[in-house]
Amino acid sequence: MQKMPGTEGNRDVSAQQTIHVAGEWLSAASGATREIIDPADAKPFAIIAEGGTEDADAAIAAARKAFDEGPWPSTPVAERAALLRKVADLLVRDREEIGLLESRDAGKTLEEGRVDVDCVADAFRYFADLVIGEGAGRVVDAGSDDIHSVVVHEPIGVCSMITPWNYPLLQASWKIAPALAAGNTFVIKPSEITPLTTVALIELLVEAGLPAGVANIVTGPGHTVGARLADHPDVDLVSFTGGLVSGTKVAQAAAVGVKKVALELGGKNPNVVFADACATDEGFDTAVDQALNAAFIHSGQVCSAGGRLIIEESVRERFVAELARRAEKIKLGRGTEDGVECGPLVSQQQREKTEMYVASALEEGAVLRCGGKRPEPSDVRPATGYFYEPTVLDQCHRGMKVVREEVFGPVLSVETFRTEDEAVALANDTEYGLAGAVWTTDSGRARRMARRMRHGTIWINDFHPYLPQAEWGGFGKSGVGRELGPAGLAEYREAKHVYENLAPRPVRWFAG
């Protein structure tokens, strides 16, 4: 097994001790293990502990004890913020190692892995700054000098975190950083497909000095570990990022105990391009380039991927022809190889799912402009890897499965519109509402579109950037709650109203 960052002198990785409970690295109680597969060649390159319900129970008990009896919830805010900043510094120190691990684990390019590490460090610094900049509470005017009334915020308690396979390190940080800033303890279950960088992050938390029991991780499958994290009575909050079906099950399990729930369930995101955005050669080039980025970064395995190109009819043919021409030139291969622009899909199952969506689209009348098949092997693209060509499907419509459902693969569907109202209707014609973009040189139109589009993030003349200072989440079936920004911290807190009467006296409501 490849040695993971931060393990030197800490534990024997070859023993598959990837479960961390109450400050100790452990194997699974059952002794079970799982091979981690490199999606570029379908070969195992690591072995982890395959935890189960018993391991989840032990981790939750440790987190419960650390919250109820440990020092972290009452640790001064300045000290909590200092620890978060130290973690950010450690991430910078280990950027190359962790970026490489993310690349091999998830199949993305090495540069994407490095950028992810940078973004995670930014998130830890942001929440450190946010929590340290807060006052002692919000004073409420009770209308009398004899009353002191204030609303304070306290940690919610034990948090269960369940994260997806596409951005394992980033999604873990969006939960861990605010949870720790607020003073909570937690148990995290990364995807069993891509758990390695989350394990590495827990190691950095330990190195930074986080007290035992505050951060716990159980590597294992969703149907056992994930289910237990959702329904355990000692858990106060469940934060889940993943698919709609699994998220619905998590919400149902958490509802029995009336737990607080945060869900980020993906999207079917429109990229709306008006003709005026393509009126100049520079504008046209930029819009096409960004449409490629929107759809094909990380092989489309992005919850906010712009997989629906909605383009004004008058420029459709020119735009789609150039888009397909450039998509055919995207260099596929192992993410660690120089010059590779796009890696494999994460698993054979994900590639087969992508193939199913393309086949259904063609059966329903879509026109294949490029891609639609597995590429030929090459020196950077092993025959056994889970590669699939970037695919552009023209002449699509709302009735198609590929337009309605989240593909999570390198597939772009093309729809057209003639009027602004039609563009809005198409952009909002989805059960999801995570993100969307509009391309236009008309600032008035841009603001109207941003106001009318029912999605949690709207980009104008851009696609994909996010800021840790700005909330992330969606409308409709894209989820419940928000990550990042002040609202992302609020998810991990309870508001408490403290009302103090400075001059108590009898009320005399009752005559006796």
Side-chain angles (χ1 to χ4, degrees):
M1 176 174 180
Q2 176 174 311
K3 205 166 185 63
M4 286 181 282
T7 60
E8 289 75 7
N10 184 18
R11 63 189 176 92
D12 180 8
V13 180
S14 64
Q16 296 92 47
Q17 293 177 320
T18 55
I19 293 173
H20 188 70
V21 175
E24 295 186 23
W25 287 102
L26 306 168
S27 301
S30 67
T33 60
R34 172 189 288 265
E35 290 183 333
I36 301 302
I37 303 299
D38 185 336
D41 58 16
K43 295 179 181 179
F45 75 102
I47 301 175
I48 64 165
E50 180 85 321
T53 302
E54 183 179 349
D55 303 290
D57 285 346
I60 293 168
R64 184 80 265 167
K65 183 176 181 180
F67 184 81
D68 294 340
E69 304 175 16
W72 187 249
S74 58
T75 296
V77 168
E79 293 182 26
R80 295 205 299 264
L83 186 137
L84 294 183
R85 292 193 186 101
K86 185 173 182 180
V87 172
D89 292 341
L90 294 174
L91 284 160
V92 172
R93 181 197 70 186
D94 292 344
R95 181 177 187 259
E96 286 301 309
E97 295 171 274
I98 297 179
L100 174 60
L101 198 61
E102 187 81 340
S103 174
R104 292 202 67 190
D105 206 7
K108 61 185 65 175
T109 65
L110 180 55
E111 185 56 32
E112 287 179 89
R114 291 170 178 146
V115 170
D116 284 358
V117 177
D118 295 340
C119 291
V120 170
D122 288 345
F124 272 87
R125 291 194 182 100
Y126 167 71
F127 283 108
D129 292 344
L130 180 63
V131 74
I132 201 70
E134 294 182 327
R138 187 180 87 247
V139 176
V140 179
D141 185 358
S144 169
D145 291 340
D146 291 335
I147 302 298
H148 179 258
S149 179
V150 64
V151 175
V152 297
H153 294 91
E154 299 179 356
I156 195 168
V158 175
C159 304
S160 287
M161 303 170 180
I162 304 171
T163 54
W165 48 258
N166 61 330
Y167 282 87
L169 183 65
L170 189 69
Q171 292 293 333
S173 75
W174 287 11
K175 302 177 190 303
I176 290 173
L180 292 180
N184 297 284
T185 63
F186 69 86
V187 181
I188 190 166
K189 189 207 88 65
S191 167
E192 58 270 34
I193 302 174
T194 58
L196 301 181
T197 52
T198 307
V199 173
L201 180 57
I202 299 300
E203 292 177 324
L204 295 187
L205 291 172
V206 173
E207 183 179 348
L210 193 66
V214 176
N216 305 274
I217 181 171
V218 180
T219 51
H223 69 274
T224 53
V225 177
R228 190 54 173 156
L229 293 185
D231 68 16
H232 197 291
D234 282 343
V235 169
D236 301 296
L237 172 146
V238 182
S239 180
F240 172 88
T241 300
L244 177 59
V245 173
S246 297
T248 301
K249 293 178 180 178
V250 166
Q252 291 171 338
V256 176
V258 198
K259 297 176 176 62
K260 190 174 181 181
V261 177
L263 303 172
E264 203 269 80
L265 305 179
K268 192 66 183 175
N269 312 288
N271 185 23
V272 181
V273 180
F274 284 88
D276 62 357
C278 303
T280 66
D281 290 343
E282 181 180 3
F284 178 80
D285 175 68
T286 300
V288 172
D289 175 77
Q290 289 276 14
L292 290 168
N293 293 342
F296 301 130
I297 287 289
H298 193 19
S299 292
Q301 299 170 117
V302 185
C303 59
S304 56
R308 292 179 66 199
L309 174 63
I310 301 174
I311 187 162
E312 193 163 352
E313 190 174 273
S314 62
V315 294
R316 179 193 64 82
E317 180 53 39
R318 179 188 176 212
F319 195 98
V320 175
E322 179 63 10
L323 185 72
R325 186 187 72 81
R326 296 190 195 183
E328 287 180 330
K329 293 187 174 183
I330 293 174
K331 187 171 183 180
L332 300 178
R334 185 188 294 276
T336 55
E337 296 288 342
D338 291 340
V340 166
E341 298 170 319
C342 197
L345 292 170
V346 76
S347 66
Q348 176 65 13
Q349 179 183 12
Q350 197 61 29
R351 183 168 63 176
E352 290 175 352
K353 177 184 173 185
T354 300
E355 291 173 326
M356 178 274 292
Y357 276 110
V358 172
S360 72
L362 296 178
E363 289 173 4
E364 293 169 340
V367 175
L368 182 67
R369 299 296 292 263
C370 71
K373 63 183 187 299
R374 302 179 185 186
E376 292 296 322
S378 72
D379 55 342
V380 298
R381 197 166 52 240
T384 51
Y386 306 131
F387 297 98
Y388 194 78
E389 293 183 355
T391 300
V392 176
L393 297 168
D394 199 3
Q395 299 183 30
C396 295
H397 57 77
R398 182 62 185 135
M400 294 177 175
K401 182 182 292 187
V402 74
V403 175
R404 296 194 313 270
E405 299 178 10
E406 193 173 30
V407 177
F408 243 62
V411 177
L412 178 66
S413 62
V414 181
E415 304 163 77
T416 59
F417 67 91
R418 294 182 179 179
T419 68
E420 183 176 318
D421 285 344
E422 188 179 359
V424 171
L426 286 171
N428 288 338
D429 190 7
T430 172
E431 63 182 0
Y432 296 101
L434 183 60
V438 55
W439 290 82
T440 179
T441 57
D442 185 332
S443 59
R445 172 186 285 156
R447 289 191 293 270
R448 288 193 304 272
M449 290 291 294
R451 184 176 65 252
R452 298 175 68 188
M453 289 170 68
R454 298 280 296 168
H455 302 270
T457 293
I458 300 296
W459 294 293
I460 297 174
N461 298 330
D462 212 329
F463 209 103
H464 275 319
Y466 77 92
L467 301 172
Q469 307 95 308
E471 280 74 2
W472 180 265
F475 296 6
K477 292 185 179 180
S478 283
V480 177
R482 291 293 184 269
E483 295 187 297
L484 303 180
L489 179 62
E491 293 285 351
Y492 293 91
R493 286 173 154 179
E494 294 281 19
K496 177 184 286 185
H497 179 204
V498 180
Y499 179 105
E500 181 181 6
N501 190 337
L502 302 175
R505 59 183 64 86
V507 177
R508 303 302 185 194
W509 185 273
F510 297 106

